[in-house]
Amino acid sequence: MLARRLIPGLLAGLLVLATPIRAGVPDAADSLTVLSWGGAYEHAQRLALFTPFTEGHDIPVAVDSYNGGLTELRQAVAENDVPWDVLDMTRSEAMAACEEGLLEPLPPELAAPAPDGTPASQDFLPGALGRCFISHSIFATVVAYRRDAFPGERPTRIADLFDQQRFPGPRALQRTPAANLEWALLAYRVPREELYRLLSTRRGLDLAFARLQSIDNIHWWEAGETPVRLLEEGQVVMASGYNGRFFAAMVERDLPIEILWDGQLQEHETWAIPRGAPNPEAAQTFIRFATTSERQVELARHIPYGPTRRSAAMQVTTHRDSGLDMRLHIPTHPINAQGAVTKDETWYARTQERIEALFRETLFREALTTQE
């Protein structure tokens, strides 16, 4: 920015145009505030992204935590009092927020090319580069179970989540339609390619709700660390959750749990900038840094989330601490992905409020479950 002060006029105009993708430190950015998800995931981000960004750009990164959703973002934008610079959002929520005008559009050239010069548009997976977001990793919502709860036969398919005769004990499920609706229909043997067509009908929703209501003693969770804690304390024998957090519990705390990969719901996690962010230029600089192939590979060495760049996926190796082959633990590994469901994020972005309202009305109308 020194050149802007020394060379006014046309050169200054050219520098302004270049601002969104320059690698230097933007003006007026004493710090950057990122809204993320806490827990093992945030710890991995600090090691792979936040600390290296601060070291390379001299911009401290502060992190706030949330459990998803657009309520706080809507309120902050409406009041013109946005406290965050960068949002870590699921792609379905980023798409919905973009349509509502809650996010800043990103320059098409923001993402850096691959190390070999391949343009970002060819290196990223389809759908990773949106108008208001860039996907940085692929995670999965999965079911994990305590091994010691089933010393004989163990769960092998997602339908076992609903079979409390063969696999007795309380369950923990996220208080959200996503994954729960898909799993309920899979338990009826609905083909994966038919899930969202059927969920677009009242008959399909009723079938899914009925299967969920058939489970006795559900602990409904919201914070991502809760299902790990419930499993650890023995309050439940099976729980839905994020594959990275279950991995951290198994590897770092030796928790006796196993991931059931069948029916895993894969989705993209994205970076986005809220409308009215205090430091939008620094936010763009961070997103460009955090979505490079090098940073995606480094993140995958701390937590098993699949990269969204082809050049990064080919470089995933071992866990930084344990030396485990991380390729065997990411959702996109061919063995893990055999029974995977790709979340239809366009469907969720279009139907989110209506489906969530039906979900709450149907499952929480009566106090039949244990709230966590």
Side-chain angles (χ1 to χ4, degrees):
M1 297 302 296
L2 178 61
R4 181 181 296 182
R5 292 193 292 269
L6 296 177
I7 308 175
L10 291 176
L11 286 180
L14 291 174
L15 285 171
V16 170
L17 292 175
T19 293
I21 60 170
R22 70 180 186 274
V25 180
D27 281 346
D30 296 327
S31 65
L32 198 71
T33 301
V34 177
L35 187 63
S36 189
W37 298 80
Y41 177 56
E42 181 185 316
H43 179 66
Q45 288 182 313
R46 286 186 183 278
L47 295 174
L49 305 177
F50 303 151
T51 298
F53 177 76
T54 297
E55 292 173 348
H57 295 79
D58 197 27
I59 302 178
V61 176
V63 186
D64 287 342
S65 298
Y66 79 136
N67 297 317
L70 302 181
T71 303
E72 291 181 72
L73 176 60
R74 289 190 183 107
Q75 182 177 349
V77 172
E79 295 175 354
N80 196 26
D81 185 20
V82 177
W84 319 288
D85 299 299
V86 180
L87 306 177
D88 190 348
M89 312 177 74
T90 63
R91 187 168 61 175
S92 57
E93 291 192 344
M95 293 168 68
C98 189
E99 286 299 311
E100 288 187 39
L102 301 176
L103 303 178
E104 297 284 356
L106 300 180
E109 68 276 15
L110 179 60
D116 65 359
T118 301
S121 59
Q122 298 176 28
D123 192 37
F124 276 86
L125 297 175
L129 301 177
R131 186 167 66 91
C132 304
F133 62 82
I134 296 179
S135 297
H136 59 76
S137 58
I138 299 174
F139 74 98
T141 302
V142 297
V143 169
Y145 61 89
R146 286 193 64 104
R147 293 195 301 268
D148 53 5
F150 311 114
E153 183 183 13
R154 291 183 179 177
T156 58
R157 56 198 186 105
I158 197 61
D160 295 336
L161 172 68
F162 302 89
D163 191 343
Q164 287 178 294
Q165 290 189 335
R166 291 170 59 224
F167 304 102
R171 272 56 166 162
L173 296 175
Q174 188 175 12
R175 190 187 292 268
T176 180
N180 293 318
L181 297 181
E182 289 89 340
W183 292 340
L185 292 189
L186 287 175
Y188 288 113
R189 300 183 182 273
V190 174
R192 285 177 291 169
E193 58 272 16
E194 295 294 322
L195 289 175
Y196 293 102
R197 184 192 64 77
L198 188 55
L199 286 174
S200 297
T201 69
R202 189 57 201 240
R203 174 176 173 271
L205 289 170
D206 287 343
L207 285 171
F209 291 143
R211 184 51 63 99
L212 289 166
Q213 288 173 317
S214 72
I215 301 177
D216 291 327
N217 197 2
I218 301 177
H219 293 249
W220 293 102
W221 61 268
E222 293 183 358
E225 286 297 296
T226 300
V228 175
R229 176 178 61 80
L230 292 174
L231 284 168
E232 184 173 25
E233 295 174 354
Q235 293 192 49
V236 301
V237 296
M238 299 179 74
S240 69
Y242 307 127
N243 74 285
R245 296 186 191 241
F246 287 141
F247 173 86
M250 290 187 292
V251 172
E252 297 169 12
R253 291 152 56 186
D254 199 28
L255 195 65
I257 62 174
E258 201 75 43
I259 290 177
L260 178 63
W261 285 105
D262 184 54
Q264 60 150 305
L265 186 69
Q266 289 185 6
E267 57 184 306
H268 285 217
E269 194 67 16
T270 74
W271 294 120
I273 301 174
R275 199 177 84 201
N279 301 295
E281 293 182 6
Q284 288 188 18
T285 302
F286 171 79
I287 291 175
R288 183 175 175 87
F289 170 85
T291 56
T292 61
S293 298
E294 178 187 7
R295 289 301 104 195
Q296 289 199 3
V297 170
E298 185 62 21
L299 183 66
R301 295 202 66 188
H302 292 279
I303 197 163
Y305 292 154
T308 57
R309 303 189 71 137
R310 296 179 175 90
S311 57
M314 296 186 295
Q315 300 178 57
V316 175
T317 56
T318 57
H319 186 241
R320 278 288 183 191
D321 297 328
S322 68
L324 289 173
D325 187 343
M326 293 297 270
R327 293 171 297 182
L328 301 177
H329 297 275
I330 60 176
T332 51
H333 188 280
I335 295 177
N336 300 334
Q338 286 179 2
V341 174
T342 300
K343 183 178 181 181
D344 190 333
E345 291 159 315
T346 301
W347 184 84
Y348 272 103
R350 188 178 67 247
T351 65
Q352 186 169 349
E353 291 192 7
R354 179 177 66 86
I355 297 300
E356 286 185 354
L358 278 172
F359 182 81
R360 290 192 300 269
E361 177 186 346
T362 304
L363 295 177
F364 305 108
R365 184 171 41 198
E366 301 176 10
L368 298 177
T369 58
T370 300
Q371 179 174 346
E372 183 62 29

